[in-house]
Amino acid sequence: MNIQHPTPQRPTPQHPDPGAPDPGAPDLADQVAPDCHGLDFFALDRGLQDLLTLYLPDDLRRHLLPHLERLGRIAGDELDDWARLADRHGPVLHPRDARGRFEDRLEFHPAYREMERVGFGEFGLACMIHKPGVLGWPEPLPHLVKFVCQYLFGQSEFGQLCPISATETSATMIKRYGSPELQARFLERMLSQDMGRILKGAQFMTERTGGSDVGNIELQARREGGGWRLYGEKWFCSCADADIAILLARPEGAVAGSRGLGLFAMPRTLDDGSRNRYRIVRLKNKLGSRSMASGEIVFDGAVAYPLGRARDEDDGSGEYGGLKMMMDQVALSRLSHGVRAASMMRRCMNEALVVARGRSAFGGRLIDKPLLRRQLMKLMVPTEQALSMAMYLGQRITAAEAGDARASRLIRILTPVFKYRSARDNVRVATGAMEVRGGNGYIEDFVNARLVRDAHLGVLWEGTSNINSLDVITRAVGKVGAHADLEDSLRQTLEHAPVPGQFKGQLQALVQRAVALADEIARSGDETLARKGSSALYHATTATLLASEGALLGAAGGDARRLLLARMVVDHRLTPSDPLWARAPAADDAATDLLLGDAPVPLSAAADLLAA
């Protein structure tokens, strides 16, 4: 990875003060390690550029390059500035107007509005998969393009990606389950890039009685005056300023538990321009994602429109199927969280490399210190794993929406696998990158502190680590049997890539063992092993993807370094090691030299190290 940073230029005073320090003396500020601000985040990421040649059709890739290059420049410059300002100057709730009327107006720093303009407006991140014409492409763009744009955007701003994702997924829910009248009322504006017309979305689900256990939800939906009205509370509502919120509520007379939940869309403003009957009681004082407003909401007869089965008259069963429909949105949100984790890990990795290359200590550059080089590899490997998984899933979800049944089952198993593992890895990578910077990494003047704060949110939103790993083992494996599709798909991936023979055989065996382990855990019902089984599937999948990508790129005369990353996943995540053994795997040092170098790795050199 080739990272360069500009050397700051200090102006020479026109009238030097006789008592001032010698202008020729070293400036102590130059001894502080630089950061990534001002760099081009797309140009830095040679791995992403290479993967685009594998995962996107060439005509689409060529068309997108100018847009990705622009987004990379914005992400490293203006967006980075705006994100820092919006983090320091969070939203403010104004409950009443000057006359004492409830208005629940949220005031945002202008920097937040600038980020909205870029994300929603200029790049159309919330609508690009729904309509043609975004970024000048004549058809709706595939999910992979959305992921790549989120990946670049998220390297500077995490919080804004929540309303962007919520708007996209809320529009998806209204398209799938809303009546024609509801679609006509809201969809066109939800998919607008005009910041004066756009309706932004949200997902309100959590209550004090039910976080992950949504069967305990108590928000009540009542039929009144020919429509539905909501009564009760929601405890944690991100994007509290949303124009349209998708939420779960229990209709009167519904059965207890999750089967009795209905799905509804609730507008902030009614057709006559008046405020809907709900109030934002207070905003959450959060550890991270401070730029985005999360709040507690009380509903006092708020108008809501039913989705899916709640649109129909009660059939007498008291069951509404709202949770099953809502899980469509949750799955899309989990994918977005995985991409956000990948993007933040990339920023952490870049920051660590800039520090290591830009600072000297103990008689030499940090990048040349053996123990730090090993630490950098602990950041690089999970970062590249997450990128490969994001690219693969971006391609598969488009295939699934086109009717590919196997792709649907792959998405079913790999979505919670990706969300679980990338969120946990992000916490370790963010902390490791902060440590590389040292004490300055703990100071809010640098981006590392915010990256650490934001990273922890990923293990909470859209299901904790336990919830996601149980979803993998008990449902995707135990009920759907999607692990069989995963094993077959990974086998085909290896068959179609020129991975060196012995390493290919090792990967095939590890995939088989990982799938067998997940199956055994599902059959035994031992929930204590759900994380172990999910991690095994993630590492076997990403090792296969990395090896295939590296082999294909190397065979085309490009950079085969991802083969070496695959080897490190195998050696350090899928192979047992003796904690009392003093030697690292034989090829580690040589592979580290190549991975931290600027030159592309030839396929022959990678193959030699795989055989070592």
Side-chain angles (χ1 to χ4, degrees), residues 320-439:
Y320 288 87
L323 178 59
K324 185 175 181 180
M325 290 181 285
M326 179 63 109
M327 288 308 295
D328 289 355
Q329 187 173 31
V330 169
L332 291 169
S333 297
R334 284 176 175 175
L335 286 170
S336 178
H337 269 284
V339 175
R340 283 178 242 178
S343 72
M344 285 196 287
M345 283 191 272
R346 175 65 62 190
R347 178 65 184 271
C348 292
M349 183 70 213
N350 286 345
E351 291 290 333
L353 284 171
V354 164
V355 171
R357 287 178 172 143
R359 185 165 185 237
S360 296
F362 305 106
R365 293 191 312 160
L366 291 185
I367 192 69
D368 297 324
K369 305 299 180 182
L371 191 54
L372 183 67
R373 292 171 74 80
R374 180 176 174 81
Q375 185 175 355
L376 290 173
M377 297 315 302
K378 291 183 179 181
L379 308 183
M380 183 183 290
V381 171
T383 297
E384 298 292 357
Q385 284 181 276
L387 175 59
S388 288
M389 185 68 97
M391 301 294 281
Y392 182 75
L393 284 171
Q395 197 177 65
R396 298 280 82 74
I397 191 171
T398 297
E401 290 184 348
D404 186 326
R406 169 173 286 179
S408 294
R409 291 190 292 272
L410 291 175
I411 291 295
R412 179 63 187 88
I413 190 170
L414 289 180
T415 292
V417 164
F418 185 33
K419 163 63 171 63
Y420 156 60
R421 193 65 262 167
S422 64
R424 297 198 64 79
D425 287 346
N426 190 20
V427 173
R428 296 181 65 182
V429 169
T431 304
M434 179 177 66
E435 187 178 12
V436 171
R437 187 171 292 281

Side-chain angles (χ1 to χ4, degrees), residues 187-445:
L187 264 184
E188 185 271 333
R189 291 185 63 188
M190 294 184 77
L191 303 180
S192 176
Q193 291 176 258
D194 181 346
M195 298 311 297
R197 284 184 44 78
I198 189 172
L199 296 177
K200 289 169 285 186
Q203 170 191 316
F204 297 166
M205 189 150 59
T206 303
E207 298 183 14
R208 279 182 279 186
T209 56
S212 296
D213 187 3
V214 295
N216 288 327
I217 281 177
E218 293 182 350
L219 180 69
Q220 191 174 75
R222 303 178 192 167
R223 288 188 182 274
E224 295 180 1
W228 289 92
R229 291 185 177 269
L230 304 177
Y231 296 88
E233 298 184 21
K234 290 288 184 182
W235 179 243
F236 203 109
C237 302
S238 295
C239 318
D241 61 320
D243 301 292
I244 306 291
I246 305 296
L247 42 74
L248 291 171
R250 193 177 304 280
E252 282 187 303
V255 297
S258 61
R259 293 181 303 160
L261 297 176
L263 188 63
F264 297 86
M266 181 193 70
R268 179 176 176 84
T269 304
L270 301 179
D271 291 344
D272 62 4
S274 64
R275 181 77 164 78
N276 206 351
R277 295 178 62 87
Y278 69 89
R279 290 184 291 115
I280 304 172
V281 179
R282 64 174 175 175
L283 297 184
K284 298 289 192 180
N285 185 15
K286 298 174 297 194
L287 173 67
S289 71
R290 293 176 178 173
S291 65
M292 182 269 300
S294 299
E296 300 165 18
I297 293 179
V298 172
F299 305 82
D300 186 22
V303 172
Y305 301 98
L307 301 176
R309 290 180 58 185
R311 289 164 43 193
D312 305 323
E313 292 296 326
D314 185 3
D315 62 3
S317 70
E319 299 183 11
Y320 288 87
L323 178 59
K324 185 175 181 180
M325 290 181 285
M326 179 63 109
M327 288 308 295
D328 289 355
Q329 187 173 31
V330 169
L332 291 169
S333 297
R334 284 176 175 175
L335 286 170
S336 178
H337 269 284
V339 175
R340 283 178 242 178
S343 72
M344 285 196 287
M345 283 191 272
R346 175 65 62 190
R347 178 65 184 271
C348 292
M349 183 70 213
N350 286 345
E351 291 290 333
L353 284 171
V354 164
V355 171
R357 287 178 172 143
R359 185 165 185 237
S360 296
F362 305 106
R365 293 191 312 160
L366 291 185
I367 192 69
D368 297 324
K369 305 299 180 182
L371 191 54
L372 183 67
R373 292 171 74 80
R374 180 176 174 81
Q375 185 175 355
L376 290 173
M377 297 315 302
K378 291 183 179 181
L379 308 183
M380 183 183 290
V381 171
T383 297
E384 298 292 357
Q385 284 181 276
L387 175 59
S388 288
M389 185 68 97
M391 301 294 281
Y392 182 75
L393 284 171
Q395 197 177 65
R396 298 280 82 74
I397 191 171
T398 297
E401 290 184 348
D404 186 326
R406 169 173 286 179
S408 294
R409 291 190 292 272
L410 291 175
I411 291 295
R412 179 63 187 88
I413 190 170
L414 289 180
T415 292
V417 164
F418 185 33
K419 163 63 171 63
Y420 156 60
R421 193 65 262 167
S422 64
R424 297 198 64 79
D425 287 346
N426 190 20
V427 173
R428 296 181 65 182
V429 169
T431 304
M434 179 177 66
E435 187 178 12
V436 171
R437 187 171 292 281
N440 283 332
Y442 200 67
I443 305 303
E444 296 284 351
D445 291 341

